[in-house]
Amino acid sequence: MNIIVLVKSVPDPAVKVTVKNNQIVEDGLAWEPNPYDENSTEEAIRLKEKFGGKVTLITLGPKRAEETLKKQLALGADEGILVSDPAFDGSDELAVARILAAAIEKQGPYDLIFAGLTGVDWNQGVVGPAVAEALAIPHVAYVVGVEVNGQTARVTTEVDGGREIQEVDLPAVLTSMQNLNVPRYASLKNIMAVKRKQIPVWGAADLGIDPGQVGPNTVQTQLKSLVPPPERAAGRIIPGAPDEAVKELVRALQEEAKVI
Amino acid sequence: MANGVLVIADLRGSTPKRVTFETIGAARSVAQALGGPVQVALVGGPGVAAAAGPLGETGVDEIIVAESPDLAQYSAESYTDAIQQLTDANSPAVVLLSATPHGRDVAPRVAARLGIAYAADVTRIDVLDGQVVVTRPVYSGNAIASVALDSQPSIVTVRPGAYPVAPRQAGTSAGKQTTFSVNIEYAPGAKVVEFQEVKSERPDLSEASVVVSGGRGMGSAENFAMIEELADLLGAAVGASRAVVDAGWRPWGEQVGQTGKTVNPNLYIACGISGAIQHLVGMRTSKYIVAINKDPEAPIFKVADYGIVGDVFTVLPLLTEEVKKVKSQ
Ligand SMILES: Cc1cc2nc3c(=O)[nH]c(=O)nc-3n(C[C@H](O)[C@H](O)[C@H](O)COP(=O)(O)OP(=O)(O)OC[C@H]3O[C@@H](n4cnc5c(N)ncnc54)[C@H](O)[C@@H]3O)c2cc1C
Ligand SMILES: Nc1ncnc2c1ncn2[C@@H]1O[C@H](COP(=O)(O)O)[C@@H](O)[C@H]1O
């Protein structure tokens, strides 16, 4: 199987992002793969281990995205491609999806494409389905289980009130959730091997993309403001012995908060 | 000229989900500011028209029944076809869906098909100088973005719990009810073949007005019986931290936080949860937060309205007893 994983580089999800002047403060920020992309990479490697084939990671971003890509490669993926061009800067997500779709077509035949459910940066969750639309193939979002049988797959998704099973013709795009699997750690051997790996960089010309069709002029939204969330007013610690404190808590919930 | 708001109802069979009434509430405020009608489309298989009864009680201007055997099973591709055709035929200024798994599955594909502005999981929609401006928590809730949508139509998914449900009046029906025939030319490559319902006596986590949540401090899967007892007493949903889900003590569906569910209850009781940023982003908009933790320095106390510093195995049974007492009065 030829499996593609789309990897987005996002601010380290373990660190609290701060905002200033309608922008996030990027100084000292570490960039990591979007957490769902780790689940995607893990699932792709497991499928390769079972069926043979190749796992190719693709990321679109600035040069620094190469580091993120290498971190994921070290889990045991075969190839990484950095899609990067100043002309791509400022593209909206639909343009990003079209560029990624062009890169997927250029790299050759494919059976399955994984994307993350949503970016923990901008929480849009648009690129996976939009890549599928650009390639005119099916997609399934919210994926927690994948079973491949030849040219089809049985895919389990998490929905309100339970799970759904979808029958899917391949190739298709699947978007991964956190509980799809538990990603492995990179082995030291892989980490060392990846360091020396040459990552090809594909730009607009390589992909046959007209720079006028991507970049800032594709954007149909305007950011009006980006501010910190409202702080919650500090509450109070109810002092006293446990039984006293509990009595006071229940009184407060009934009489002050009126929630029980 | 584009005008009005088209809501795509989120249904389970022919039963509208609660979030659909919330999304209609959002649609009404947008339509009032922009002008034009609120239209609600029922997309689904034969029998879906039955949803017109309860949805009509909100008094929306029009219910459009887009019923087809081809839409009996959910498929992102077929539903994209249907929503695209409904949008082309009605020229709304805004298309609204609920930010549920199906809503967030299909809306981005519709946006890509039509090449229009898309905003996911919004908590508020305003109209400023005739322009649609959405509010969205981003960076895991560490920032709030206000974003203007320049295209007409634009497409938006509304976060569950963000809007109150549109009021309903028995005996009221929609201004009119029409039918729309959807043309699905190709069999979809992916479609739902089975639904495995998780039956629960408890309310759905994202809709519950009270949530009792446990973290690693609960010590074991068995000890969650204490959480369940209090939850049942309060008619609450059970929640969990990721540490608990990763340990296999509770199912993923109960995880609250960045990579789990976002909850918005009147009361959130956190037991043995430290309050990591990724947990807080899933529950910080709760109206009241109670924390029980033995560590007075635990970050959860910084967001809690009421905190008790103590051992959860002492405090929780006392709390359950006290609630029983006041409930029986
Ligand atoms: C990308 C990413 C995504 C994540 N997504 C989520 C998410 O969606 N949801 C989520 O919850 N986490 C998420 N996390 C994990 C998060 O960072 C924390 O690790 C997790 O929330 C910790 O869970 P906890 O509070 O139960 O455990 P701990 O942090 O171990 O806290 C246990 C608490 O219990 C208290 N305690 C222990 N024993 C007792 C006792 N007997 N009585 C009273 N108190 C006691 C301790 O004082 C402590 O404060 C994510 C992390 C990453 C990196
Ligand atoms: N610039 C990018 N390069 C590669 N993949 C991306 C990029 N942006 C988004 N994706 C993919 O789409 C998923 C969801 O991101 P988003 O649609 O931006 O919320 C990510 O987890 C990636 O799999």
Side-chain angles (χ1 to χ4, degrees):
Chain A
M1 286 186 83
N2 285 329
I3 309 171
I4 312 287
V5 178
L6 301 178
V7 178
K8 185 179 199 181
S9 167
V10 298
D12 184 352
V15 173
K16 184 171 170 172
V17 164
T18 52
V19 285
K20 213 170 137 184
N21 303 331
N22 296 316
Q23 283 182 329
I24 63 163
V25 177
E26 291 202 2
D27 280 356
L29 211 59
W31 295 81
E32 296 285 338
N34 191 32
Y36 302 104
D37 299 345
E38 303 186 49
N39 300 103
S40 293
T41 306
E42 174 64 34
E43 201 64 21
I45 293 170
R46 287 187 194 180
L47 288 168
K48 175 192 133 174
E49 285 167 352
K50 193 159 169 196
F51 298 106
K54 191 171 99 176
V55 176
T56 305
L57 311 182
I58 304 181
T59 192
L60 187 164
K63 184 76 181 144
R64 66 155 189 261
E66 187 183 305
E67 283 313 305
T68 313
L69 199 62
K70 284 191 167 179
K71 266 184 202 156
Q72 286 296 279
L73 266 174
L75 296 185
D78 300 283
E79 302 294 337
I81 299 164
L82 175 63
V83 179
S84 199
D85 193 309
F88 298 156
D89 291 353
S91 295
D92 75 355
E93 296 118 349
L94 296 179
V96 165
R98 289 195 304 272
I99 299 164
L100 288 169
I104 290 166
E105 287 190 316
K106 177 177 161 73
Q107 65 75 50
Y110 53 91
D111 300 294
L112 201 51
I113 300 165
F114 283 101
L117 174 69
T118 187
V120 299
D121 50 359
W122 210 246
N123 185 29
Q124 279 279 70
V126 54
V127 167
V131 164
E133 177 68 18
L135 295 171
I137 60 175
H139 86 264
V140 180
Y142 287 81
V143 170
V144 296
V146 183
E147 220 182 274
V148 172
N149 313 300
Q151 275 312 296
T152 63
R154 259 177 92 79
V155 172
T156 308
T157 64
E158 193 94 37
V159 296
D160 299 329
R163 291 182 159 194
E164 283 178 344
I165 313 289
Q166 296 210 28
E167 283 283 345
V168 185
D169 294 339
L170 303 184
V173 174
L174 307 180
T175 79
S176 309
M177 293 194 72
Q178 172 212 307
N179 55 329
L180 172 60
N181 54 42
V182 179
R184 67 193 67 190
Y185 290 101
S187 69
L188 199 59
K189 181 170 148 261
N190 280 350
I191 294 172
M192 298 313 288
V194 161
K195 281 209 174 114
R196 291 184 302 270
K197 205 166 171 93
Q198 283 295 320
I199 305 287
V201 182
W202 292 353
D206 303 302
L207 298 175
I209 287 175
D210 171 1
Q213 301 294 311
V214 293
N217 55 354
T218 59
V219 174
Q220 303 185 73
T221 58
Q222 299 164 46
L223 183 65
K224 294 269 180 189
S225 68
L226 188 70
V227 296
E231 287 292 328
R232 285 188 77 94
R236 65 184 170 113
I237 300 281
I238 302 176
D243 53 336
E244 291 301 316
V246 161
K247 270 209 177 69
E248 167 57 14
L249 171 64
V250 172
R251 187 203 63 77
L253 291 177
Q254 267 201 311
E255 293 171 16
E256 292 171 13
K258 301 190 169 57
V259 285
I260 60 172
Chain B
M1 239 310 266
N3 82 2
V5 181
L6 174 65
V7 174
I8 310 298
D10 199 321
L11 311 167
R12 166 73 55 214
S14 61
T15 309
K17 294 184 193 158
R18 180 192 156 93
V19 287
T20 300
F21 293 98
E22 297 171 1
T23 305
I24 289 172
R28 178 162 291 159
S29 72
V30 177
Q32 255 157 20
L34 272 183
V38 174
Q39 300 172 296
V40 177
L42 310 180
V43 178
V48 76
L55 292 172
E57 289 178 354
T58 61
V60 292
D61 299 293
E62 181 178 353
I63 288 185
I64 306 171
V65 181
E67 184 183 82
S68 156
D70 293 329
L71 298 166
Q73 286 118 348
Y74 176 78
S75 153
E77 297 146 275
S78 306
Y79 275 58
T80 298
D81 291 346
I83 296 168
Q84 177 217 327
Q85 291 166 25
L86 280 159
T87 304
D88 287 346
N90 292 285
S91 327
V94 187
V95 181
L96 287 190
L97 290 88
S98 304
T100 54
H102 283 178
R104 292 196 68 176
D105 183 50
V106 72
R109 189 153 189 155
V110 174
R113 172 82 51 92
L114 294 170
I116 57 177
Y118 172 55
D121 209 19
V122 313
T123 53
R124 202 183 142 131
I125 312 174
D126 292 296
V127 177
L128 304 174
D129 301 327
Q131 197 176 31
V132 175
V133 178
V134 298
T135 302
R136 318 182 47 237
V138 294
Y139 292 101
S140 306
N142 291 317
I144 308 292
S146 171
V147 181
L149 307 181
D150 291 343
S151 70
Q152 278 205 342
S154 57
I155 183 164
V156 172
T157 60
V158 181
R159 174 176 288 192
Y163 276 84
V165 295
R168 290 159 68 177
Q169 190 149 30
T172 301
S173 54
K176 60 180 170 177
Q177 183 168 328
T178 56
T179 58
F180 181 81
S181 72
V182 174
N183 177 16
I184 312 279
E185 275 182 47
Y186 300 98
K191 67 164 188 271
V192 173
V193 292
E194 197 182 321
F195 175 51
Q196 300 171 342
E197 190 175 0
V198 177
K199 281 226 165 51
S200 170
E201 302 294 307
R202 300 198 182 91
D204 189 62
L205 187 56
S206 27
E207 295 184 352
S209 56
V210 182
V211 175
V212 184
S213 255
R216 202 196 314 262
M218 291 306 300
S220 72
E222 292 70 38
N223 290 338
F224 267 77
M226 290 161 55
I227 299 274
E228 291 180 336
E229 189 184 358
L230 180 60
D232 291 342
L233 213 53
L234 295 169
V238 171
S241 71
R242 177 166 179 176
V244 160
V245 172
D246 284 349
W249 299 350
R250 300 301 294 184
W252 181 85
E254 292 181 0
Q255 182 177 316
V256 172
Q258 184 185 72
T259 48
K261 299 228 162 94
T262 303
V263 300
N264 208 0
N266 289 331
L267 175 61
Y268 187 88
I269 305 180
C271 308
I273 294 178
S274 61
I277 179 74
Q278 297 91 354
H279 187 81
L280 298 185
V281 300
M283 43 66 81
R284 64 188 297 162
T285 57
S286 305
K287 206 154 165 211
Y288 285 92
I289 296 173
V290 170
I292 303 169
N293 196 304
K294 69 178 182 190
D295 174 9
E297 302 298 323
I300 189 79
F301 287 123
K302 292 218 172 67
V303 301
D305 299 279
Y306 303 107
I308 294 183
V309 179
D311 189 331
V312 74
F313 301 115
T314 314
V315 177
L316 197 50
L318 286 169
L319 179 57
T320 304
E321 281 319 303
E322 186 65 19
V323 170
K324 260 188 208 155
K325 225 190 286 169
V326 302
K327 287 257 167 192
S328 66
Q329 273 164 17

